Amino acid sequence: MEKNNFRRSFGAGLTILGAVVILFACVAFLSDGKPTLGLDVSRGEAAAPFIVGLIFFGAGFNLINNS
């Protein structure tokens, strides 16, 4: 029982973290080269956090579904 609760909590954390990173990547992509949260991120560089966010989001969602 405790293992499932840990998996659900960890999955929820990964899902939230993935959503935040995806939102950051979207805002950085739309900022047209202006600094986003103090970081200079070009349109091409915004793809990396988007992909990482998708991986975190998918892994978290999968953990929640399987527990």
Side-chain angles (χ1 to χ4, degrees):
M1 186 73 170
E2 285 184 30
K3 187 177 181 181
N4 282 342
N5 287 339
F6 175 74
R7 289 178 79 179
R8 282 182 185 235
S9 299
F10 191 66
L14 278 177
T15 304
I16 291 169
L17 180 65
V20 168
V21 172
I22 289 171
L23 287 174
F24 169 77
C26 290
V27 169
F29 182 77
L30 295 174
S31 69
D32 290 332
K34 298 175 191 165
T36 305
L37 296 176
L39 299 171
D40 248 349
V41 181
S42 69
R43 284 188 171 208
E45 293 170 342
F50 183 76
I51 292 169
V52 171
L54 280 178
I55 292 170
F56 282 2
F57 190 82
F61 191 73
N62 194 22
L63 271 175
I64 292 171
N65 261 351
N66 289 337
S67 60

